[in-house]
Amino acid sequence: MGLVVAIGLTLFTACGVDTPASSPSSPPPPGTTTVLTTLPQPSPTTSAPPSSAPSSSSRQPKTGKVVVLDPGHNGGNSGRPGEITKQVPAGRGQTKPCNTTGTSTNSGYTEHAFTWDVSQRISQALVAKGIRVILTRQNDTGVGPCVNERAAIGNDAGADAVVSIHADGSNSAGAHGFHVAYSAPPLNAQQGEPSMKLATALRDGLRTGGFPTSTYLGSNGLAPRADLGGLNLSTRPAALVECGNMRNAAEAAAMASEEGRQQYAAVIAKAIEDYLGG
């Protein structure tokens, strides 16, 4: 991967471990801010994102919309068990571990690497449409942030949509397909109809893009959940996408390929655009 620094940075510290980049000399106009990202270098045969993000001087019309993308887990979590196992608020009177290491394919391709790559590709697509994007973590080598901190990033940004990107690790026979989780029963107005619309737009976009709905969790691609801290603590429209099952051979192969990750990113970005436009 090559390091690409986008102009106009909005960064958040992961559990006090990651060090934010220096602030730009002058704040960018709304609608063009992205984050420091490490972007995959496309191969000649794949449809990967462009090698650099639009700058604040881009002529792309600004929409005024803000999207927070939450790439699940982090690459440094496994080396800091004391930090990620500490209990933090998770909503509904619950506490949960700060974060987890995530899952992986049977061949060892990790969920945290998948979610980081896909989230960057989604970010590039949205920024190209004039949408401001904030990522909840800066890289794939840090620790956390904790689930309550991830929710706070979306809340503090006043995000028009918060989308968390994950992949599942079910060992159930034949388990495959995506599902989209949302907080239910809702704890505030934004967890009600707005979050349901966001979850449905994501579900419809993935299904239209050719991805099958889950055979083992949720119903018709949607999964109401009361146990996910990032969703419970959100005061903005929020949903979590489990893109598929990393233990399923076909889905694992897609997730491990640049072409597959680009396809996931393209349909999720389009679904977010459709939600914002609606």
Side-chain angles (χ1 to χ4, degrees):
M1 289 186 173
L3 184 65
V4 178
V5 180
I7 300 175
L9 305 179
T10 299
L11 300 176
F12 292 88
T13 303
C15 290
V17 175
D18 294 338
T19 303
S22 58
S23 300
S25 57
S26 60
T32 57
T33 303
T34 121
V35 297
L36 182 68
T37 56
T38 303
L39 297 175
Q41 292 300 309
S43 68
T45 59
T46 60
S47 177
S51 59
S52 61
S55 73
S56 58
S57 62
S58 168
R59 295 181 180 179
Q60 175 67 43
K62 313 305 183 292
T63 67
K65 301 292 187 180
V66 178
V67 170
V68 169
L69 296 176
D70 177 31
H73 313 288
N74 208 330
N77 284 2
S78 60
R80 303 287 279 275
E83 291 187 43
I84 67 166
T85 58
K86 70 180 181 181
Q87 295 292 302
V88 299
R92 303 183 194 274
Q94 307 172 66
T95 61
K96 297 190 75 171
C98 162
N99 210 251
T100 65
T101 59
T103 188
S104 67
T105 66
N106 291 332
S107 62
Y109 181 64
T110 60
E111 180 184 2
H112 64 77
F114 169 76
T115 66
W116 177 238
D117 184 291
V118 170
S119 294
Q120 289 177 95
R121 293 170 185 268
I122 297 169
S123 175
Q124 292 256 322
L126 295 179
V127 168
K129 298 289 188 176
I131 297 166
R132 182 182 177 192
V133 176
I134 299 169
L135 296 178
T136 60
R137 57 182 173 101
Q138 299 165 219
N139 53 47
D140 197 37
T141 58
V143 180
C146 298
V147 292
N148 59 321
E149 294 173 312
R150 292 174 187 249
I153 290 170
N155 296 343
D156 292 346
D160 296 284
V162 179
V163 179
S164 188
I165 305 298
H166 284 257
D168 213 353
S170 174
N171 288 313
S172 299
H176 70 279
F178 77 86
H179 63 271
V180 183
Y182 57 94
S183 185
L187 298 173
N188 54 57
Q190 293 301 312
Q191 289 182 15
E193 184 178 358
S195 291
M196 270 296 302
K197 284 185 175 180
L198 175 60
T200 301
L202 290 162
R203 187 274 312 274
D204 291 349
L206 282 159
R207 193 162 55 183
T208 299
F211 293 98
T213 56
S214 175
T215 60
Y216 63 101
L217 201 156
S219 175
N220 201 25
L222 296 176
R225 299 282 294 270
D227 62 326
L228 298 178
L231 298 181
N232 286 340
L233 296 171
S234 182
T235 58
R236 308 304 304 162
L240 183 151
V241 182
E242 291 280 7
C243 293
N245 184 17
M246 298 192 94
R247 300 300 171 82
N248 174 271
E251 291 184 336
M255 292 180 193
S257 72
E258 285 196 31
E259 183 178 2
R261 294 193 297 271
Q262 179 61 26
Q263 186 179 3
Y264 276 111
V267 298
I268 292 171
K270 176 63 165 56
I272 294 172
E273 290 177 50
D274 289 345
Y275 168 77
L276 296 176

